[in-house]
Amino acid sequence: MLDKSRAQRIFGLALPIMGGMVSQNILNIVDTAMVSRLENSDAALAAVGLASFAVFMCQSAVLGLATGVQASASRRKGEGRLEETALFLNTALLVLIVVAPLMSLVLVELAPVIFNALIDDSQVVELGVPYFEIRLVGILFVGANFAFRGYWNAVDMARLYMRTIIIMHIANIFLNYVFIFGNFGAPPMGVAGAGLASLLSVILGTCVYVVLGLKHAAPHGFLHRRPHFSEVKTLVKLSLPNSIQQVFFSAGFLATYWIIGQVGTAELAAANVLLNLTMLAILPGLGFGLTSATLVGQALGRGDSSDARRWGFDVTKIAAIIMTTICLPMVFIPDRVIDTFYVLDPDTLNLALWPMRIAGITIVFDAFGMVLMQSLLGAGDTRRVMMVSICNQWVLFLPVAYLIGPVLGYGLVEIWIVQAMYRGFQAFIFSKFWLGDSWSTIRI
């Protein structure tokens, strides 16, 4: 049983993180919901969906820095070294300033080639490439926002992260209204306008984070000195496996889009809706996972590995109950859930119904898998997490999904069943790891 004080501690950390995580996914949902009201909505939805995951793949190389920042800052907080908790945030920002602009420059040049390789539909390519190029400009700012997120979560100040995310997405909704449809004197840009709104919102978020950092993190070392080489080395050691995992994970999502695109454009449009709504549903699980990573890191900093193990399982129990409850509408009234956000062609809507039911039924697998994966990352066990994630996705799921879809001619329902099985197997492996002891001896 979970005692009251531990439950209060979990919810006190998790609720702000969950609010921020749910709000964060609204960026893609707002983009897709608004472009679904344009003419030829299937092509617009497919373009935004494919481009969004292509952007995520390109950004993912720097997103692992957040894991390194959170693991190191939470460990030092547990050790009582509060004045050092922001030093790895400084290191992450320095790495981003050096690496991210060059990444953006190269990827923007390659954007048409990348997009044409992903789909043959000329209309989807025409709509998607400008959106893709605009979003790629923001890699530096997205990486910085994730690094700040890792820091705020690690030092029990997730409320600052949540507030900033809410500001970003209020701005994104307004800017989408301005640039997609050409309001307040702006030209109607359609899908490209959604990309510009997202970019400006992310830049605004970075500016807010820097101001908050100067106010709240300065006593803990924020921007007070340049990073030492040892800190860069430690951050890279913690972050690189997770960055590689993120690249492969996002590339796997992109490959899933490509596989579904071989089945049909309507199926791709339906899949975009499904993935966005499913990700919205599982983001509370990721919020609980980040909470667990903080609690595990702080417990290990105190030298209490048994308490760290208990935190992982306690958070998992709560996440499983809450996520299953949240997803009941996906099981029983999937059409109403979709209609709340999207205007779909009736045939496209029908394609999405049963896959959404399957996602709702199997969400408990994601609760276990996501919380325990983040718990392992919080302990610094990034290499094993990377290997399991990459092998399950690329060796098991994607080949079977390709066989089921384009080769054998089955549809979204069968592909979603395969995906649910893969996620369940991954959750089982992470549970076995957490029952072991090797993660508890990792030094940061």
Side-chain angles (χ1 to χ4, degrees):
M1 296 294 294
L2 184 64
D3 65 61
K4 183 177 180 180
S5 62
R6 293 179 74 86
Q8 289 175 339
R9 172 74 168 140
I10 291 169
F11 280 108
L13 283 174
L15 288 178
I17 297 174
M18 287 168 57
M21 294 305 301
V22 170
S23 176
Q24 181 173 302
N25 199 51
I26 291 175
L27 187 147
N28 285 340
I29 287 184
V30 166
D31 285 358
T32 53
M34 287 190 169
V35 301
S36 73
R37 287 155 174 79
L38 296 171
E39 293 183 12
N40 200 352
S41 60
D42 276 359
L45 280 170
V48 171
L50 192 60
S52 294
F53 281 103
V55 169
F56 178 52
M57 181 187 72
C58 296
Q59 294 169 343
S60 57
V62 299
L63 299 186
L65 291 169
T67 298
V69 172
Q70 182 166 354
S72 57
S74 62
R75 187 71 67 95
R76 276 152 184 75
K77 180 177 173 64
E79 293 168 347
R81 298 157 61 185
L82 298 180
E83 72 282 358
E84 299 179 15
T85 54
L87 298 183
F88 285 90
L89 174 60
N90 297 342
T91 307
L93 295 177
L94 177 62
V95 170
L96 284 165
I97 290 171
V98 172
V99 172
L102 180 61
M103 287 181 58
S104 290
L105 181 63
V106 172
L107 289 168
V108 168
E109 289 296 319
L110 294 175
V113 177
I114 295 171
F115 218 83
N116 276 284
L118 295 174
I119 192 165
D120 296 327
D121 190 313
S122 60
Q123 191 169 25
V124 174
V125 172
E126 181 182 357
L127 293 172
V129 169
Y131 179 90
F132 185 36
E133 291 174 335
I134 293 169
R135 291 286 302 273
L136 287 173
V137 175
I139 290 177
L140 168 63
F141 305 101
V142 171
N145 291 352
F146 270 73
F148 275 107
R149 185 197 76 179
Y151 175 75
W152 298 131
N153 291 345
V155 297
D156 298 351
M157 299 182 73
R159 66 186 185 280
L160 300 179
Y161 157 63
M162 181 186 70
R163 292 172 187 172
T164 308
I165 289 290
I166 291 173
I167 292 170
M168 286 171 54
H169 294 302
I170 291 173
N172 186 53
I173 292 171
F174 172 74
L175 293 172
N176 267 325
Y177 177 72
V178 171
F179 292 117
I180 293 176
F181 305 109
N183 292 300
F184 297 103
M189 298 174 64
V191 172
L196 179 59
S198 297
L199 172 62
L200 294 176
S201 302
V202 168
I203 294 173
L204 173 64
T206 304
C207 295
V208 173
Y209 278 135
V210 171
V211 172
L212 291 174
L214 292 172
K215 181 178 180 180
H216 297 283
H220 304 149
F222 179 60
L223 299 186
H224 277 198
R225 68 168 172 82
R226 285 177 290 180
H228 295 154
F229 176 75
S230 61
E231 292 163 354
V232 176
K233 183 178 178 181
T234 299
L235 182 68
V236 170
K237 181 180 177 181
L238 286 171
S239 302
L240 185 59
N242 189 244
S243 290
I244 295 171
Q245 175 199 341
Q246 292 277 7
V247 169
F248 275 90
F249 176 74
S250 56
F253 255 107
L254 199 57
T256 302
Y257 262 92
W258 179 83
I259 289 169
I260 296 170
Q262 304 306 300
V263 179
T265 299
E267 284 80 3
L268 185 59
N272 180 35
V273 171
L274 286 165
L275 288 170
N276 275 303
L277 290 178
T278 302
M279 287 182 69
L280 179 63
I282 67 176
L283 280 176
L286 180 54
F288 277 116
L290 293 171
T291 298
S292 184
T294 294
L295 294 169
V296 167
Q298 292 178 2
L300 291 175
R302 297 191 302 270
D304 193 344
S305 60
S306 62
D307 191 46
R309 187 192 310 278
R310 187 181 172 193
W311 279 123
F313 283 127
D314 285 349
V315 177
T316 300
K317 296 171 191 175
I318 293 176
I321 294 170
I322 289 180
M323 289 176 66
T324 301
T325 303
I326 289 173
C327 290
L328 289 177
M330 295 171 61
V331 178
F332 295 107
I333 49 172
D335 52 339
R336 295 184 184 179
V337 173
I338 294 172
D339 285 341
T340 300
F341 296 94
Y342 298 99
V343 178
L344 298 183
D345 179 272
D347 292 335
T348 305
L349 176 63
N350 287 332
L351 286 171
L353 294 181
W354 268 106
M356 177 162 284
R357 290 189 178 102
I358 293 167
I361 292 169
T362 59
I363 201 73
V364 67
F365 297 151
D366 286 301
F368 274 81
M370 294 175 71
V371 172
L372 294 181
M373 179 182 74
Q374 292 297 327
S375 300
L376 291 164
L377 292 175
D381 198 359
T382 55
R383 291 185 182 180
R384 286 200 304 173
V385 170
M386 175 189 71
M387 293 303 298
V388 169
S389 177
I390 292 173
C391 289
N392 276 339
Q393 189 176 34
W394 284 88
V395 178
L396 296 179
F397 168 62
L398 290 174
V400 176
Y402 182 76
L403 175 66
I404 291 291
V407 175
L408 298 180
Y410 291 101
L412 282 181
V413 172
E414 291 78 13
I415 291 175
W416 245 252
I417 291 172
V418 173
Q419 181 173 249
M421 294 172 65
Y422 130 71
R423 301 289 288 178
F425 181 60
Q426 181 164 286
F428 171 76
I429 294 175
F430 287 144
S431 298
K432 294 289 288 184
F433 283 175
W434 196 245
L435 287 168
D437 295 315
S438 60
W439 56 266
S440 64
T441 59
I442 296 172
R443 297 182 62 84
I444 297 177

